[in-house]
Amino acid sequence: MFPLEDAEMGAFTFFASALPHDVCGSNGLPLTPNSIKILGRFQILKTITHPRLCQYVDISRGKHERLVVVAEHCERSLEDLLRERKPVRYPSYLAPEVIAQGIFKTTDHMPSKKPLPSGPKSDVWSLGIILFELCVGRKLFQSLDISERLKFLLTLDCVDDTLIVLAEEHGCLDIIKELPETVIDLLKKCLTFHPSKRPTPSELMKDKVFSEVSPLYTPFMKPASLFSSSLRCADLTLPEDISQLCKDINNDYLSERSIEEVYYLWCLAGGDLEKELVNKEIIRSKPPICTLPNFLFEDGESFGQDRDRSSLLDDTTVTLSLCQLRNRLKDVGGEAFYPLLEDDQSNLPHSNSNNELSAAATLPLIIREKDTEYQLNRIILFDRLLKAYPYKKNQIWKEARIDIPPLLRGLTWAALLGVEGAIHAKYDAIDKDTPIPTDRQIEVDIPRCHQYDELLSSPEGHAKFRRVLKAWVVSHPDLVYWQGLDSLCAPFLYLNFNNEALAYACMSAFIPKYLYNFFLKDNSHVIQEYLTVFSQMIAFHDPELSNHLNEIGFIPDLYAIPWFLTMFTHVFPLHKIFHLWDTLLLGNSSFPFCIGVAILQQLRDRLLANGFNECILLFSDLPEIDIERCVRESINLFCWTPKSATYRQHAQPPKPTSDSSGVRSSAPYFSAECPDPPKTDLSRESIPLNDLKSEVSPRISAEDLIDLCELTMTGHFKTPTKKTKSSKPKLLVVDIRNSEDFIRGHISGSINIPFSAAFTAEGELTQGLYTAMLQNFKGKVIVIVGHVAKHTAEFAAHLVKMKYPRICILDGGINKIKPTGLLTVPSPQI
């Protein structure tokens, strides 16, 4: 959108016609209110941008089918040139073919052909009427009522020269004759009665009159979109006189921001559309008792109410005052509007009220999203970073860890997912029209997908759902449509409602990263492995809860499949998904496991207190989940989870890196620089699914163990030693081999508890030299090491039964460590 500059924002309101309450559509569902239909169709108007067109900004739906439209508003208009007080009366400007079409009413429960809508040629007629009025200095048809005006326009079919007849009818033939020939020729072309003979706008632009005017105006070139193959800086020009530019700088920095941003900030600063309209008496309330009918039938039909005059069309535009917003931002300095992207000293832009911004950054997310000044700074910063994408991709990741401004969430998500290239050309090339077997299932699923949202429940929303889902199915022939894909599509479509190509591109990038092979025709092996790893994560982080759920038989297969298949979009409303995915997109493919565990921990007390049947009922209608707490705890669980503990053989293969030195990345796991780790000789090995299911605790790789123990390897294996602020060990290695094998060589710092004598007949730990140390490490990561996989799994299972958290097994046992040269031999005691 263009900057606000010297324009203003205005609002006007109207009512959509109400539908009968007792009629259902062909699908048996209630009819979609007309206001929701209008709301969906209105969205495309927001994409029409041109320097000489007023920009539509927003539409909101109120009570009783009321709609309020917000648009760029200019006090001076063509009417001011005519010096008339009345607003434009639309019927006088309608093309004859539009009038002849008549009023068309359609209902969802009656099939009917939709007439052809008014097209560009109809607009050419309207342009001709406007130009005629400007040339003669008066409005047409003022002496006729509306019906007579329409009849007169239809009779023009019988005349040879529409322009002359109109001039004679209004007594201005002399004025028309004095006009230049080029203008008369233009008017005749515009006022051609038959649309088939009337020129299109592009043909009209070739007229001589425009060739004389065009050089006076710089041709408008629509800027290249963020995700396209076009060079975004191709038409970038610098002013010739920089000193003059400095003199022309406007100190009203807010006016340099886009109309969309200004309106968003206006709402945050307390702007209320309905209140503005009430203050100007555009909306007038009426006591409810005065709206009661005189007569009422049993079926609900009523009679005898006086027609509410306030429901009649009033096209008055109310100017929205920006005083409250400007007052709210009065302490924001000019430098805040132009943050330095290369300055890494602070995550927040500089401002005269920087202390307040720093304080706001520590507040809960829901409060930060309502803070006008904070959002202004975040929007400006992200706007500049996104314009520099992909060059500034890493800095986008860095800022996204703080928070993502809701206004720019759609573009930010696309950047985090690495969307690039000519996405529109790719999307347009996909056949979305030819019928396919999946069409019927898609048609069934869409009317049930997040239909509480007005935008997604609109017919326009359904059509967009259909196209995006079908495009994904057609473009992925190796995968199939599973129920839940529609829920997965919903967040992307909502955020990119006017950009289907970007919604499709985001979904196409999201699925391989987090749901690789989940949509295979036979996905049972993928799902079963995923749920098994999730079970191990529950045992790793909350052994008490894991023991209870396993004892009552409440396994993840009964509740977690919809969670992971839809990445929680099937169980949470969109506003919670936005906050959840803001963090999910910063993690790798294992982060959803942590979200699942965090959800269970919020329900922990109720789960531990109930049996199987009660747990089934609990999850049939999931209780309210604190999503901010869920995000915080998910991050904490993620940071405590060894990288290889969530290894899956059916996960997306890691992308090859350009680094061939064998050095493993030491980047933080919760960052852009650390995707799923590449496979090395010390990585985890795949094991049969049945073997994986038999193990309660997860395995970790030798690579992870070396990192966590901060050991320095010898030979060709090289891992950077991590610097720690504390000398306290991060984990405890428990070697369960017999004492003789342990003495021959073991991991530095490990303790020896031989498996054969570790537990009593009652399942308790045998009291010994290292029992107290094991107890002291309860709560930290404990790695079980041996040379028999069955014994290490059983030892770990015993500890889980004893409610020891964060128990894991070294994959491949001690033999995986031997080639590294890291085993130590104790010095002989003298």
Side-chain angles (χ1 to χ4, degrees):
M1 286 189 176
F2 294 101
L4 180 66
E5 295 184 342
D6 56 351
E8 296 179 284
M9 294 189 300
F12 62 90
T13 183
F14 64 94
F15 284 94
S17 58
L19 295 173
H21 298 288
D22 57 344
V23 180
C24 292
S26 57
N27 57 4
L29 298 174
L31 298 178
T32 303
N34 284 325
S35 57
I36 288 183
K37 293 181 182 178
I38 294 171
L39 186 141
R41 294 181 64 186
F42 174 89
Q43 302 305 314
I44 192 66
L45 297 179
K46 293 159 65 173
T47 66
I48 302 173
T49 57
H50 193 279
R52 290 180 282 279
L53 289 178
C54 283
Q55 177 73 53
Y56 283 103
V57 180
D58 192 28
I59 185 170
S60 62
R61 182 170 175 257
K63 297 179 180 178
H64 311 300
E65 294 291 87
R66 179 183 291 280
L67 290 159
V68 181
V69 175
V70 180
E72 180 184 3
H73 179 57
C74 297
E75 290 292 341
R76 184 169 174 79
S77 66
L78 288 175
E79 290 185 274
D80 298 318
L81 299 177
L82 294 174
R83 297 181 180 178
E84 294 278 347
R85 291 184 298 171
K86 296 181 180 179
V88 175
R89 299 304 179 191
Y90 309 116
S92 302
Y93 299 88
L94 293 178
E97 65 271 17
V98 178
I99 298 171
Q101 181 178 277
I103 299 174
F104 183 85
K105 291 185 177 180
T106 183
T107 55
D108 288 352
H109 61 286
M110 291 184 64
S112 57
K113 286 189 177 180
K114 186 177 180 181
L116 293 174
S118 300
K121 289 191 175 185
S122 301
D123 295 335
V124 169
W125 173 277
S126 302
L127 173 64
I129 296 293
I130 293 172
L131 291 176
F132 186 98
E133 290 182 341
L134 290 173
C135 290
V136 302
R138 69 185 71 172
K139 285 200 170 186
L140 302 185
F141 314 116
Q142 292 300 294
S143 61
L144 303 177
D145 61 28
I146 292 179
S147 61
E148 290 176 334
R149 297 179 200 179
L150 301 182
K151 289 178 183 177
F152 177 80
L153 287 171
L154 292 177
T155 60
L156 294 175
D157 184 24
C158 305
V159 302
D160 294 328
D161 194 326
T162 303
L163 178 62
I164 298 299
V165 172
L166 284 175
E168 290 176 343
E169 179 69 22
H170 292 83
C172 54
L173 185 59
D174 293 339
I175 300 175
I176 291 296
K177 287 183 177 179
E178 292 176 0
L179 294 174
E181 285 297 324
T182 54
V183 176
I184 293 176
D185 185 52
L186 175 67
L187 288 172
K188 287 184 176 181
K189 288 179 180 179
C190 291
L191 297 176
T192 302
F193 187 88
H194 289 285
S196 60
K197 299 178 181 179
R198 197 182 307 146
T200 63
S202 58
E203 292 170 344
L204 200 64
M205 286 298 294
K206 299 175 183 176
D207 194 271
K208 292 180 181 178
V209 71
F210 291 113
S211 64
E212 298 172 4
V213 176
S214 296
L216 302 177
Y217 296 92
T218 303
F220 171 66
M221 300 289 293
K222 194 168 185 179
S225 60
L226 181 61
F227 302 100
S228 71
S229 56
S230 303
L231 192 62
R232 298 204 298 270
C233 60
D235 299 312
L236 201 62
T237 57
L238 292 175
E240 296 179 3
D241 188 354
I242 299 295
S243 60
Q244 183 62 36
L245 178 66
C246 296
K247 294 178 183 178
D248 295 339
I249 288 179
N250 185 359
N251 289 329
D252 183 9
Y253 302 107
L254 186 64
S255 66
E256 298 301 316
R257 304 310 304 173
S258 73
I259 300 172
E260 183 185 29
E261 288 179 22
V262 174
Y263 174 67
Y264 180 77
L265 295 169
W266 180 83
C267 293
L268 289 182
D272 187 324
L273 289 176
E274 190 165 323
K275 183 179 178 181
E276 295 285 338
L277 294 170
V278 168
N279 290 342
K280 297 295 183 179
E281 297 186 347
I282 304 299
I283 296 179
R284 293 184 289 273
S285 60
K286 199 173 184 180
I289 195 170
C290 297
T291 63
L292 294 176
N294 295 335
F295 192 71
L296 189 68
F297 279 154
E298 289 182 354
D299 61 0
E301 191 173 2
S302 59
F303 300 91
Q305 305 106 315
D306 290 333
R307 185 169 185 180
D308 188 357
R309 305 296 298 177
S310 65
S311 65
L312 300 179
L313 177 64
D314 185 346
D315 57 3
T316 303
T317 299
V318 174
T319 302
L320 303 180
S321 173
L322 297 179
C323 293
Q324 188 171 347
L325 174 60
R326 293 186 188 280
N327 184 59
R328 183 71 179 84
L329 301 177
K330 64 182 180 181
D331 293 329
V332 178
E335 64 273 15
F337 289 84
Y338 304 97
L340 297 175
L341 300 187
E342 303 299 333
D343 183 11
D344 291 332
Q345 295 179 1
S346 172
N347 288 326
L348 292 171
H350 298 291
S351 159
N352 289 345
S353 53
N354 201 46
N355 291 335
E356 292 182 17
L357 284 178
S358 300
T362 62
L363 295 173
L365 180 61
I366 193 170
I367 297 178
R368 277 179 276 154
E369 289 189 347
K370 300 297 182 184
D371 187 294
T372 309
E373 186 177 355
Y374 183 82
Q375 283 302 308
L376 170 69
N377 282 273
R378 298 299 286 168
I379 288 170
I380 291 172
L381 178 61
F382 269 82
D383 179 55
R384 297 202 69 188
L385 290 173
L386 287 167
K387 285 176 179 175
Y389 175 83
Y391 173 65
K392 285 293 183 182
K393 182 176 181 179
N394 288 341
Q395 199 165 342
I396 293 173
W397 275 78
K398 176 184 175 183
E399 293 296 336
R401 286 187 224 169
I402 301 171
D403 55 46
I404 296 174
L407 185 65
L408 298 175
R409 181 173 275 127
L411 292 176
T412 305
W413 279 12
L416 295 178
L417 286 167
V419 174
E420 291 183 30
I423 61 173
H424 292 90
K426 183 178 180 180
Y427 181 73
D428 292 341
I430 300 172
D431 180 8
K432 299 177 281 292
D433 299 317
T434 304
I436 58 174
T438 312
D439 287 350
R440 179 171 175 78
Q441 187 60 53
I442 292 176
E443 292 290 344
V444 171
D445 288 346
I446 289 174
R448 302 179 297 189
C449 180
H450 293 281
Q451 294 302 284
Y452 55 85
D453 180 78
E454 295 173 344
L455 206 55
L456 297 184
S457 66
S458 67
E460 192 68 22
H462 286 193
K464 289 177 179 290
F465 254 132
R466 195 178 303 113
R467 289 192 292 268
V468 174
L469 288 172
K470 194 166 181 177
W472 187 88
V473 172
V474 170
S475 60
H476 295 81
D478 53 326
L479 304 175
V480 298
Y481 178 89
W482 280 89
Q483 281 184 291
L485 190 65
D486 53 321
S487 296
L488 200 62
C489 173
F492 297 120
L493 181 59
Y494 180 91
L495 294 175
N496 304 287
F497 197 79
N498 285 324
N499 195 340
E500 292 178 30
L502 187 55
Y504 163 81
C506 288
M507 190 170 78
S508 298
F510 181 93
I511 289 175
K513 180 176 180 180
Y514 296 100
L515 295 166
Y516 186 73
N517 280 345
F518 264 60
F519 294 95
L520 289 171
K521 188 172 184 179
D522 180 11
N523 64 356
S524 58
H525 57 293
V526 180
I527 297 288
Q528 285 301 310
E529 182 191 37
Y530 202 96
L531 295 177
T532 302
V533 174
F534 179 54
S535 293
Q536 292 181 346
M537 283 296 98
I538 301 172
F540 182 81
H541 291 290
D542 197 335
E544 182 180 7
L545 181 60
S546 173
N547 293 336
H548 174 72
L549 296 179
N550 288 334
E551 286 170 7
I552 64 174
F554 192 64
I555 56 176
D557 305 55
L558 300 174
Y559 62 88
I561 292 178
W563 290 7
F564 299 123
L565 190 64
T566 67
M567 277 299 124
F568 309 97
T569 55
H570 187 68
V571 291
F572 290 136
L574 284 174
H575 70 275
K576 290 190 174 184
I577 287 297
F578 293 151
H579 288 171
L580 188 65
W581 279 20
D582 281 352
T583 304
L584 171 66
L585 294 176
L586 297 170
N588 68 353
S589 61
S590 66
F591 191 73
F593 293 123
C594 302
I595 296 175
V597 175
I599 293 173
L600 291 179
Q601 289 188 330
Q602 280 201 38
L603 305 173
R604 189 176 191 275
D605 293 341
R606 298 175 70 173
L607 290 171
L608 288 174
N610 289 312
F612 179 83
N613 292 335
E614 292 81 6
C615 289
I616 288 288
L617 290 174
L618 182 67
F619 277 79
S620 63
D621 185 15
L622 194 67
E624 185 72 15
I625 297 295
D626 182 342
I627 210 69
E628 277 203 67
R629 176 186 163 191
C630 179
V631 169
R632 287 195 309 270
E633 293 179 353
S634 298
I635 295 173
N636 182 56
L637 294 169
F638 188 77
C639 294
W640 268 106
T641 305
K643 301 176 184 181
S644 58
T646 54
Y647 166 82
R648 292 181 297 116
Q649 62 174 315
H650 296 300
Q652 184 182 24
K655 296 178 181 178
T657 61
S658 57
D659 183 8
S660 58
S661 63
V663 178
R664 191 185 189 201
S665 170
S666 60
Y669 209 29
F670 202 61
S671 70
E673 296 80 15
C674 193
D676 293 306
K679 192 174 179 63
T680 69
D681 292 342
L682 297 179
S683 299
R684 273 188 60 175
E685 301 291 339
S686 300
I687 61 173
L689 181 59
N690 288 335
D691 292 348
L692 187 67
K693 286 185 173 182
S694 68
E695 297 177 354
V696 175
S697 297
R699 297 185 177 201
I700 69 167
S701 65
E703 200 169 26
D704 263 354
L705 180 65
I706 292 167
D707 278 349
L708 292 169
C709 290
E710 298 172 355
L711 302 173
T712 302
M713 299 171 58
T714 58
H716 67 283
F717 294 100
K718 299 177 181 178
T719 298
T721 302
K722 293 187 178 180
K723 298 179 180 179
T724 57
K725 297 179 181 178
S726 172
S727 60
K728 294 182 179 178
K730 294 182 178 180
L731 81 167
L732 177 67
V733 178
V734 179
D735 194 324
I736 63 169
R737 296 175 297 159
N738 58 49
S739 55
E740 292 82 7
D741 290 338
F742 181 80
I743 291 173
R744 292 193 189 99
H746 57 267
I747 297 170
S748 177
S750 63
I751 63 173
N752 182 223
I753 305 179
F755 175 77
S756 58
F759 299 96
T760 65
E762 292 77 21
E764 298 293 329
L765 267 175
T766 304
Q767 294 299 315
L769 180 63
Y770 293 112
T771 307
M773 183 179 290
L774 190 63
Q775 182 65 33
N776 291 336
F777 268 84
K778 192 172 186 178
K780 294 187 178 181
V781 176
I782 299 176
V783 185
I784 312 301
V785 178
H787 54 69
V788 180
K790 182 179 179 181
H791 290 169
T792 54
E794 288 181 13
F795 192 98
H798 273 293
L799 293 181
V800 171
K801 278 289 183 184
M802 298 170 64
K803 303 178 185 178
Y804 273 83
R806 301 186 178 123
I807 304 296
C808 50
I809 304 165
L810 177 61
D811 181 60
I814 198 70
N815 293 329
K816 211 54 175 300
I817 301 293
K818 286 180 179 178
T820 66
L822 291 175
L823 297 183
T824 61
V825 178
S827 302
Q829 297 183 359
I830 300 175

